[in-house]
Amino acid sequence: MKIASEGAVGSAVDEGRAAEQTLDPEDWEAFRALAHRMVDDMVDQTRGLREQPAWQQPPTDVKRAIQNEPLPLDGQGAEQVYADFLKLVQPYTSGNRHPRAWGWVRGNGTPLAAMAEMLSASMNSHAGGGEQSSTFVEERCLQWLAGVMGMSAATTGILTSGGTMANLLGLAVARDARAGFDVREEGLAGNARLTVYASSETHMWARKSMDVLGMGAQQLRLIRVDEGFRIDIGALRERLREDRAAGLRPIAVIGNAGTVNSGAVDDLPALAALCREENLWFHVDGAFGALLKLSDRYASLVRGVELADSLAFDMHKWMYLPFEIGCLLVAEGSAHRAAFASTASYLEGNTRGMLATGLIFSDRGIELTRGFKALKLWMSLKAYGLRTLGTQIEQNMEQSQFLEQRVKEEPELELLAARKLNIVCFRYRGKIFRDEDFYNALNRELVIRLQESGEFVVSGTELRGRYALRIANTNHRSRLQDFEDLVQAMLRIGRELDAVRG
Ligand SMILES: Cc1ncc(COP(=O)(O)O)c(C=O)c1O
């Protein structure tokens, strides 16, 4: 094949060449120097996290500078924009990287995975599938994860942006696999008869997903929980019976391996058995709890995860990876593919060429174009090894045990739920008995004061109408002393508030 040499191209091309531009640096060496500085600053900043405020309110002038900036028509240059980043953006985070961050359920991220993200962005792989290493890396990671979770060799998976997306996709597979009619043909009319069951402690992703999937949030049956916040299986059976009698079509049960509020783990083996009996899909939300499978010591706490037809979990929570990365595993790979695979002439695969492997990940989810999330996972698994990640999780469990014990020892503090995993829910109670409204108002204020102190990133929740400070420990930077300091801060601020309000 003859390719025209540069000298042979026409004069029109020569004329156009002067005006051609690219977004690559004009001066690669200057760019290299800036890039090195960015990496150096990032390392220093991460190393010094403990000396920085856990969280700080963005000042008004910072908010104004961002919110009022006109759209830049002419470029300011990379040096200037990096200076703005250092001043306006970097200091004002949600604090989850800090050693004293235990609010909601957020991970820290690691410096290594941050570098992996940079490498992944520089590769800019379109990770829909096809003949490229990113496909094989992601597929291998998914097989490793299926093995860790104890799922079968037929399991397929997909990495997602997070737990909500992984759970949503799992429920979509459930609906297609168990609806008993062609959901795409019958559409909304058929959907209206489908019901899904979960405990009242299930995360709100389930309601959102029911709506998005056209089944409607009202078709999600929230079943009451027992004393330990686990689904009441007797009540579940009863509701299934009533719904079938009313002509509805139950399709799936969602089990929790670690509820968001208190870390409760449903009786997963019993739910799996019930699902088999009733021909229902068994989906497990193991957002953070399922990761206990990485620990030999604690894996038994989430026994039954391996029985799921589909399992969702988050590696940006308890595998310490930076946002975003969640995972869906589906035990029957064919059901997974059936829910999402679709064809189009412009994406046609072949036995040779770039698409010889097919767009396998596009066929397991909604997105066609997706980034190479697997790189940070692959690099972390290989660099640390599963054992180190497992012992890191064990450290978090033991720190949570310590906190629970300290709360029990302090008469002015009160535990509001027995700790099961890494979540400790408690409140300031003081020395004199007060009513529930008083405690709720005081503890709400206490959580905000702790946040505003810049010392701790914490959050709260309600358990049976009682407001609790809720510590979810997925933090690889915390030390036992941090939890002791939290107890002391709770007592100090609690006493101050008690004195003012009492
Ligand atoms: C139990 C549980 N499920 C689902 C989610 C949603 O996950 P994500 O925030 O990654 O979408 C969370 C988030 O905290 C969770 O705790």
Side-chain angles (χ1 to χ4, degrees):
M1 190 186 299
K2 191 165 185 298
I3 298 173
S5 70
E6 279 210 24
V9 289
S11 61
V13 174
D14 287 337
E15 276 164 30
R17 192 173 281 156
E20 280 175 326
Q21 67 169 48
T22 167
L23 298 180
D24 279 338
E26 262 172 44
D27 178 345
W28 279 99
E29 290 313 312
F31 177 77
R32 186 197 304 279
L34 175 64
H36 282 186
R37 192 145 53 80
M38 287 173 170
V39 171
D40 283 343
D41 290 350
M42 187 199 86
V43 171
D44 289 342
Q45 217 262 343
T46 311
R47 186 160 70 180
L49 275 173
R50 190 173 272 284
E51 281 69 55
Q52 296 158 28
W55 174 78
Q56 54 185 333
Q57 179 92 43
T60 311
D61 59 328
V62 166
K63 284 194 211 172
R64 288 224 180 96
I66 297 172
Q67 290 164 347
N68 297 341
E69 182 172 18
L71 173 67
L73 294 180
D74 295 312
Q76 300 158 5
E79 287 280 352
Q80 178 58 45
V81 85
Y82 181 55
D84 283 353
F85 164 79
L86 291 177
K87 190 167 123 217
L88 302 175
V89 181
Q90 192 194 50
Y92 308 106
T93 68
S94 62
N96 47 293
R97 290 181 306 164
H98 198 272
R100 291 176 170 196
W102 311 294
W104 302 274
V105 197
R106 299 165 167 187
N108 296 120
T110 62
L112 175 68
M115 296 314 294
E117 287 282 66
M118 189 189 77
L119 299 177
S120 164
S122 81
M123 288 177 68
N124 198 25
S125 281
H126 178 294
E131 283 291 310
Q132 53 176 339
S133 285
S134 68
T135 305
F136 310 125
V137 165
E138 179 159 352
E139 192 65 330
R140 192 67 193 131
C141 286
L142 290 164
Q143 287 161 354
W144 283 339
L145 291 170
V148 169
M149 294 297 161
M151 294 177 75
S152 78
T155 301
T156 58
I158 183 163
L159 296 180
T160 63
S161 53
T164 299
M165 188 52 82
N167 279 302
L168 165 71
L169 296 184
L171 205 52
V173 180
R175 187 193 61 168
D176 275 24
R178 287 290 186 277
F181 60 90
D182 188 331
V183 224
R184 293 179 187 126
E185 286 284 307
E186 273 196 49
L188 286 179
N191 275 346
R193 283 182 286 119
L194 306 180
T195 47
V196 174
Y197 302 77
S199 91
S200 54
E201 289 291 298
T202 303
H203 192 276
M204 53 100 168
W205 70 261
R207 267 179 289 136
K208 278 194 191 177
S209 301
M210 290 294 285
D211 275 337
V212 169
L213 292 170
M215 294 186 275
Q218 75 287 352
Q219 301 293 93
L220 176 67
R221 305 302 200 218
L222 292 177
I223 308 297
R224 69 167 178 259
V225 289
D226 65 15
E227 273 298 293
F229 296 101
R230 288 167 311 186
I231 192 165
D232 179 330
I233 295 185
L236 168 62
R237 280 192 187 279
E238 182 58 22
R239 192 67 209 256
L240 279 166
R241 204 187 47 72
E242 283 170 15
D243 282 347
R244 286 203 203 278
L248 294 166
R249 194 186 274 270
I251 55 162
V253 173
I254 299 165
N256 285 294
T259 57
V260 60
N261 270 336
S262 67
V265 180
D266 290 330
D267 184 343
L268 302 176
L271 287 181
L274 180 143
C275 286
R276 268 198 306 275
E277 229 176 86
E278 300 260 355
N279 191 28
L280 299 171
W281 186 271
F282 183 36
H283 175 79
V284 173
D285 176 11
F288 56 95
L291 276 314
L292 279 169
K293 286 276 193 184
L294 271 67
S295 151
D296 290 340
R297 199 177 306 165
Y298 295 112
S300 62
L301 292 177
V302 290
R303 201 166 56 88
V305 152
E306 66 283 356
L307 303 172
D309 291 309
S310 50
L311 168 66
F313 53 95
D314 261 346
M315 283 158 301
H316 59 212
K317 291 187 167 59
W318 221 357
M319 225 163 124
Y320 314 103
L321 290 174
F323 305 129
E324 305 167 338
I325 184 162
C327 180
L328 172 71
L329 295 175
V330 181
E332 212 180 290
S334 53
H336 191 179
R337 201 169 179 284
F340 298 112
S342 144
T343 52
S345 58
Y346 46 85
L347 296 174
E348 195 174 85
N350 214 319
T351 52
R352 287 171 38 231
M354 290 175 74
L355 290 191
T357 324
L359 288 169
I360 57 171
F361 298 116
S362 301
D363 284 350
R364 295 182 199 166
I366 302 280
E367 289 162 321
L368 170 59
T369 301
R370 44 201 296 283
F372 185 17
K373 292 185 185 65
L375 186 63
K376 60 188 168 190
L377 170 62
W378 187 74
M379 287 181 70
S380 298
L381 278 168
K382 280 165 65 76
Y384 302 122
L386 198 70
R387 285 206 188 92
T388 302
L389 293 168
T391 49
Q392 190 68 59
I393 287 173
E394 287 165 9
Q395 179 169 299
N396 291 147
M397 288 290 283
E398 277 130 35
Q399 289 164 336
S400 310
Q401 261 162 12
F402 169 81
L403 177 61
E404 179 188 37
Q405 185 53 34
R406 287 293 294 114
V407 170
K408 284 182 181 164
E409 283 164 11
E410 292 294 340
E412 289 163 80
L413 302 181
E414 180 184 15
L415 203 63
L416 290 186
R419 183 196 57 80
K420 291 104 193 167
L421 310 180
N422 56 339
I423 295 189
V424 185
C425 294
F426 62 111
R427 67 178 176 180
Y428 178 81
R429 189 180 51 183
K431 289 186 182 139
I432 322 165
F433 178 78
R434 320 270 197 173
D435 65 24
E436 290 298 328
D437 287 347
F438 180 90
Y439 288 139
N440 284 350
L442 183 148
N443 282 282
R444 278 204 161 84
E445 177 64 20
L446 203 155
V447 166
I448 293 173
R449 296 257 181 124
L450 285 169
Q451 292 174 352
E452 288 175 342
S453 74
E455 286 185 52
F456 303 96
V457 173
V458 292
S459 65
T461 192
E462 260 189 40
L463 293 168
R464 300 203 168 97
R466 299 193 295 178
Y467 188 80
L469 172 80
R470 175 181 154 285
I471 295 302
N473 183 15
T474 51
N475 194 319
H476 66 85
R477 299 194 169 111
S478 302
R479 297 288 168 260
L480 278 185
Q481 186 62 46
D482 295 313
F483 297 93
E484 179 58 34
D485 292 349
L486 174 70
V487 167
Q488 296 308 326
M490 280 284 282
L491 290 170
R492 181 172 41 78
I493 301 173
R495 283 173 195 150
E496 278 166 25
L497 291 172
D498 207 359
V500 175
R501 288 168 179 252

